[in-house]
């Protein structure tokens, strides 16, 4: 069973507090830096409603919505990856690697092609369409990875997921041939992992998914702890394994799909954040799930801020910066897998 000694709990709380302080510092840095720098006094004055028109525009219309989307999407992807790694008992599981992000992306591209002109439907319908694509991808992966008598073996799950992701991305590329220039620009930005939904309506569209679903996942921490054990042990402890696994995978797909629908196809966050959290506070989900959410928010916000400042005004997409870190880490994890 999980180690719940008081000193472990105290250590987890201190590490979580430290991560929150890092996130707050990064938030202030991101707000203040860019093509137009805002000094601490300018920031404070603008927050109090005494800023100039330019300062108000930069802070409230350009930077804050983008920062909010970065943090929400990072937390959503990190929690989704944590669920998938725990439910499949596979340290390589990540919504991007398994093809769930690609399925959501295909739906997003179709939605953009057919419904972009309908502004009343666009922002709020987008996460639902993305969820449809994410669920379709998850179903395909499960069907192709399943073997009678063996189930969905972890390494096969990853390999099938990589194949499904490649196929879905290929389908999106085929669709791009028929896109008009505006839609193609959107598609290219989405695929590169650029934070594109940087207006308040997109924040409002994503916020309910994160605020409602993440606490549900936290409430299932005990179930996730038990599912980490052998299946026979989980059943013996009274957990309805199939039912709980279905619910948790649905939550993971919903969190990942809604996040990438407005943030772009950012990979590896769901892989990196849970690993970092687990190495800091151990496998007990009551501790590492909240920490993974904060670390996911830090990863995406740091990547977006770095890309925005390094190559202003177009910037480097956050997805590219995260990939530069995540791809070598993924290969290192693959090399450590038994039976490679």
């Amino acid at each position: 069973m999980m180690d719940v000694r008081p000193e472990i709990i105290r250590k987890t709380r201190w590490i979580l507090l430290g991560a929150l302080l890092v996130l707050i510092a990064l938030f202030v840095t991101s707000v203040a830096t860019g093509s137009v720098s805002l000094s601490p006094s300018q920031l404070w004055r603008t927050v109090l409603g005494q800023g100039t028109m330019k300062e108000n525009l930069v802070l409230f219309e350009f930077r804050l919505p983008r920062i909010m989307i970065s943090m929400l999407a990072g937390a959503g992807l990190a929690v989704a990856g944590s669920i998938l790694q725990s439910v499949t008992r596979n340290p390589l599981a990540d919504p991007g690697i398994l093809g769930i992000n690609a399925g959501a992306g295909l739906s997003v591209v179709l939605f953009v092609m057919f419904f972009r002109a309908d502004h009343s439907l666009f922002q709020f319908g987008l996460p639902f369409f993305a969820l449809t694509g994410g669920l379709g991808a998850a179903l395909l992966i499960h069907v192709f990875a399943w073997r009678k008598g063996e189930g969905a073996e972890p390494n096969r799950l990853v390999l099938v997921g990589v194949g499904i992701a490649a196929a879905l991305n290929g389908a999106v590329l085929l669709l791009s041939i028929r896109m008009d220039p505006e839609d193609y620009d959107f598609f290219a930005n989405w695929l590169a992992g650029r934070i594109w939904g940087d207006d308040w309506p997109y924040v409002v569209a994503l916020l309910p998914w994160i605020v409602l679903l993440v606490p549900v996942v936290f409430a299932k921490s005990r179930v996730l702890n038990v599912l980490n054990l052998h299946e026979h042990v989980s059943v013996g402890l009274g957990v309805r394994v199939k039912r709980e696994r279905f619910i948790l995978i649905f939550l993971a797909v919903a969190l990942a799909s809604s996040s990438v629908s407005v943030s772009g196809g950012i990979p590896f966050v769901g892989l990196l954040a849970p690993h970092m959290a687990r190495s800091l506070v151990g496998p007990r989900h009551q501790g590492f799930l909240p920490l993974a959410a904060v670390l996911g928010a830090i990863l995406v916000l740091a990547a977006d801020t770095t890309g925005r400042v390094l190559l202003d005004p177009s910037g480097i997409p956050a997805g590219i910066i995260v990939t530069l870190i995540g791809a070598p880490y993924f290969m290192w994890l693959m090399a450590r897998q038994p039976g490679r």
Side-chain angles (χ1 to χ4, degrees):
M1 295 300 290
M2 303 290 171
D3 194 343
V4 290
R5 288 176 296 175
E7 58 267 31
I8 299 292
I9 294 174
R10 278 198 298 273
K11 176 188 169 188
T12 300
R13 287 174 180 167
W14 279 111
I15 290 175
L16 183 58
L17 178 62
L20 284 170
L21 291 175
V22 170
L23 181 61
I24 291 170
L26 186 58
F27 175 89
V28 174
T29 304
S30 185
V31 162
T33 54
S35 57
V36 178
S37 298
L38 297 174
S39 66
S41 62
Q42 286 175 309
L43 270 178
W44 184 245
R45 195 173 62 234
T46 308
V47 169
L48 293 178
Q50 299 168 358
T52 64
M53 184 181 293
K54 182 180 177 182
E55 289 166 347
N56 283 325
L57 192 66
V58 168
L59 179 61
F60 293 113
E61 299 301 324
F62 294 152
R63 290 190 186 157
L64 273 182
R66 183 167 175 150
I67 290 169
M68 291 294 292
I69 287 289
S70 299
M71 293 194 301
L72 290 171
L77 288 169
V79 174
S82 302
I83 296 171
L84 292 175
Q85 288 176 19
S86 298
V87 168
T88 63
R89 294 196 290 274
N90 184 349
L92 301 174
D94 167 82
I97 295 166
L98 290 182
I100 292 169
N101 290 1
L106 178 59
S107 286
V108 167
V109 169
L110 288 171
F111 190 70
V112 168
M113 289 177 70
F114 293 106
F115 296 103
R116 189 167 192 159
D118 189 348
H119 294 289
S120 62
L121 179 68
F122 188 71
Q123 289 96 350
F124 297 100
L126 204 56
F128 290 98
F129 255 72
L131 174 61
T132 305
L135 287 174
L139 182 62
L140 279 176
I141 295 162
H142 184 77
V143 167
F144 284 107
W146 182 265
R147 292 290 183 276
K148 190 175 180 181
E150 300 176 15
E153 191 269 330
N155 283 340
R156 188 164 55 239
L157 201 66
V158 172
L159 292 174
V160 169
V162 171
I164 294 289
L168 292 172
N169 284 327
V172 176
L173 282 172
L174 282 176
L175 283 174
S176 69
I177 297 171
R178 301 184 59 184
M179 290 177 180
D180 60 39
E182 187 181 359
D183 286 345
Y184 185 81
D185 284 345
F186 165 83
F187 158 71
N189 283 327
W190 190 93
L191 199 63
R194 186 185 299 281
I195 304 293
W196 68 273
D198 53 359
D199 290 328
W200 285 112
Y202 294 103
V203 178
V204 175
L206 176 59
L207 189 64
W209 293 75
I210 305 300
V211 169
L212 294 176
L213 298 186
V214 168
V216 174
V217 178
F218 288 177
K220 287 192 170 290
S221 294
R222 180 189 164 274
V223 174
L224 283 163
N225 288 339
V226 176
L227 288 177
N228 258 342
L229 307 173
H230 194 281
E231 187 158 336
H232 296 303
V233 180
S234 303
V235 173
L237 290 171
V239 172
R240 298 166 68 181
V241 173
K242 289 183 179 176
R243 176 177 173 272
E244 293 295 344
R245 191 175 285 159
F246 175 82
I247 293 171
L248 287 162
I249 289 177
F250 178 82
L251 290 170
V253 174
L255 283 168
S257 301
S258 57
S259 297
V260 299
S261 70
V262 294
S263 71
I266 301 175
F268 294 114
V269 176
L271 176 76
L272 289 171
H275 274 270
M276 292 164 64
R278 203 177 288 112
S279 66
L280 287 169
V281 299
R284 184 172 171 267
H285 287 79
Q286 287 89 339
F288 107 78
L289 271 179
L291 183 59
V294 176
L295 292 177
I298 289 174
L299 272 173
V300 177
L301 181 56
D304 184 58
T305 304
T306 305
R308 183 164 55 81
V309 172
L310 282 182
L311 196 63
D312 193 68
S314 57
I316 302 172
I320 291 178
I321 293 180
V322 177
T323 300
L324 290 174
I325 305 168
Y329 189 74
F330 175 70
M331 288 188 283
W332 177 72
L333 281 176
M334 280 289 284
R336 292 184 62 198
Q337 286 297 296
R340 59 187 185 277

